[in-house]
Amino acid sequence: MRSFILNENEMNELAKRQPTPFLVLSVDKVAENYAFLRKHLPRAGIYYAIKANPHPRALERLAALGSHFDVASAGEMEMLHAAGVDGSRMIYANPVHDARGFAAASRFGVKRFTFDDESEIPKLAAAAPGADVLVRVQVHNSKALVDLNTKFGAPLGSALPLLRKAEQAGLHAKGICFHVGSQSLSTAAYEEALLLVHHLFLEAEASGMHLTDLDIGGGFPIPSAEGLHVDLAAMLEAINRQLERLFPQTAVWTEPGRFLCGTAMNLVTSVIGTKQRGTFPWYILDEGIYGVFSGILFDHWTYPLHCFGNGAKTPSVFAGPSCDGIDVLYRDFPAPKLPIGANVLVSDIGAYTTVSATRFNGFEPAAVLVWEDQADLVAKRRKLREADEASSA
Ligand code: PLP
């Protein structure tokens, strides 16, 4: 699975059309990632977790492919409504719901909710009587970059009592959901969670409560991050086998965010200042930690940086444009000497980046170009690929 990565010529050509900093989103790559998940995890329907990247063109493309959507707030439901998606294709999967969220759910016809505490039951029963609910349980996984099981998830032992209370309150207890944590490198974490939840399904059945739905959350990793090469097809196929074995009759869903959009976006940013500090050249870029690089802080992520140019590479520091000392992006990065005005490229920057960017210091958010709209460059790339394939055949 290759990430979408512009080459130097494409980057510079686009920089003539759009001032830096800007992002380039490939909606075909999002579609390819969606197809990959469908192929290797066919037992699970997809709710795209739009929190990762709600760009309208990504939403429209996924909607056209038949995707459903995971939403966390009224704002996310409104974005989907604007993209023409009906509430029946959404799950309100933030276990704590607010009044605006309930109002939007009622307006758009969202009838599926998750929760992980008794205190949500009367709220749900009042705002969404008769709604379908899934209880979110806590699962453990030390091999996830982002922990989602300290703040979220009911202890396993309280899952069925919570579902029973939900039924008594007039809600429809549909099933169970979990999230093993984001950028999970562990297949075993899913397999273990499935075993535990399978016991809960059996226990529920024995007590007369028939659960029909299982939601295995997101967490699927960007497979080549940080020099790793996770065999994602093998990971998904192992999960699929476990689902076939343990949940042959259950409706299964997943909520991928990062995997669908992470590898589909590039950032083009340019050097606006330089300085020498001891032996280190410093390059100040026109995009920083308060912008698209916010994921360094919020998502614990390091994005691949691509510098072009010949000449010896020396360990260099790259920083953002703000007046804050925390705004340092890369240290000890081997880079050739870069003049002011040089463009650099950052790949795998499509998930949890634009969504948490701020306007600190008055810097505008980076514009987003859609790669497939650049027909001339797309055609050129296709020709190059065809020539490559012909010469290697
Ligand atoms: N579902 C829920 C409830 C989440 O909180 C998240 C991420 O925070 C996701 C899905 C998406 O997870 P990922 O991007 O790891 O696939």
Side-chain angles (χ1 to χ4, degrees):
M1 283 242 78
R2 287 223 201 110
S3 298
F4 166 68
I5 305 183
L6 296 168
N7 64 34
E8 184 182 1
N9 288 337
E10 291 164 345
M11 173 188 77
N12 287 329
E13 187 51 46
L14 287 170
K16 289 182 198 153
R17 303 175 189 183
Q18 173 72 41
T20 62
F22 61 88
L23 292 147
V24 187
L25 167 69
S26 168
V27 286
D28 282 355
K29 181 63 188 161
V30 175
E32 185 186 315
N33 290 343
Y34 180 86
F36 186 90
L37 263 189
R38 294 298 299 135
K39 176 170 175 205
H40 296 286
L41 188 58
R43 274 295 281 115
I46 293 180
Y47 284 113
Y48 170 48
I50 80 166
K51 55 180 75 69
N53 186 335
H55 191 277
R57 294 282 293 278
L59 300 184
E60 284 160 17
R61 185 62 178 269
L62 288 169
L65 290 169
S67 185
H68 289 57
F69 298 89
D70 155 0
V71 294
S73 66
E76 290 190 346
M77 291 178 228
E78 281 155 14
M79 289 180 214
L80 282 164
H81 177 68
V85 178
D86 189 74
S88 59
R89 288 168 76 180
M90 302 180 206
I91 181 167
Y92 189 174
N94 185 341
V96 177
H97 317 85
D98 62 12
R100 271 199 65 208
F102 277 133
S106 151
R107 190 157 18 111
F108 301 130
V110 181
K111 296 203 165 62
R112 227 172 144 80
F113 300 78
T114 70
F115 73 108
D116 66 0
D117 194 83
E118 193 174 340
S119 58
E120 282 304 295
I121 294 174
K123 287 167 60 183
L124 283 159
D132 292 342
V133 295
L134 287 87
V135 68
R136 177 155 164 188
V137 294
Q138 205 171 32
V139 292
H140 294 288
N141 179 12
S142 59
K143 290 198 170 172
L145 184 69
V146 181
D147 167 41
L148 292 173
N149 286 287
T150 303
K151 182 175 171 192
F152 303 106
L156 285 172
S158 56
L160 299 187
L162 282 171
L163 285 173
R164 275 189 212 103
K165 283 186 181 142
E167 288 259 300
Q168 284 155 13
L171 297 162
H172 183 194
K174 281 291 256 193
I176 297 181
C177 60
F178 61 82
H179 194 305
V180 298
S182 198
Q183 183 69 11
S184 171
L185 301 179
S186 166
T187 308
Y190 290 94
E191 291 175 323
E192 281 162 23
L194 290 176
L195 271 178
L196 294 168
V197 172
H198 181 237
H199 286 302
L200 292 177
F201 267 63
L202 293 180
E203 214 183 299
E205 196 69 37
S207 72
M209 183 164 52
H210 181 57
L211 301 180
T212 55
D213 285 48
L214 166 68
D215 183 334
I216 66 171
F220 308 122
I222 291 182
S224 59
E226 304 245 28
L228 294 169
H229 291 284
V230 179
D231 186 344
L232 192 60
M235 180 178 193
L236 296 172
E237 282 160 17
I239 298 168
N240 202 67
R241 277 194 298 278
Q242 184 88 316
L243 287 169
E244 294 276 21
R245 193 168 70 82
L246 299 177
F247 294 95
Q249 307 297 336
T250 305
V252 182
W253 292 92
T254 179
E255 298 171 357
R258 180 189 306 283
F259 172 72
L260 288 182
C261 55
T263 53
M265 210 174 213
N266 287 186
L267 167 72
V268 180
T269 170
S270 64
V271 176
I272 54 167
T274 61
K275 38 183 113 173
Q276 188 73 26
R277 291 283 180 265
T279 58
F280 292 102
W282 277 58
Y283 298 107
I284 312 302
L285 302 175
D286 55 9
E287 183 66 14
I289 207 145
Y290 286 96
V292 175
F293 286 105
S294 56
I296 292 176
L297 283 182
F298 293 126
D299 197 36
H300 323 287
W301 200 263
T302 319
Y303 306 95
L305 173 64
H306 310 262
C307 297
F308 303 94
N310 299 321
K313 292 185 175 166
T314 48
S316 307
V317 178
F318 289 78
S322 75
C323 294
D324 191 347
I326 197 181
D327 196 359
V328 177
L329 311 169
Y330 301 89
R331 293 179 187 275
D332 282 328
F333 186 88
K337 195 167 167 45
L338 297 170
I340 287 182
N343 296 320
V344 298
L345 186 79
V346 183
S347 58
D348 289 349
I349 195 158
Y352 304 112
T353 51
T354 52
V355 276
S356 48
T358 74
R359 287 171 179 264
F360 180 57
N361 277 187
F363 292 105
E364 290 286 316
V368 182
L369 304 182
V370 173
W371 168 247
E372 287 73 21
D373 292 347
Q374 317 296 321
D376 56 333
L377 296 180
V378 173
K380 213 168 175 181
R381 179 183 275 218
R382 192 177 307 121
K383 265 197 191 141
L384 278 177
R385 203 183 44 229
E386 282 163 6
D388 263 7
E389 283 166 6
S391 71
S392 60

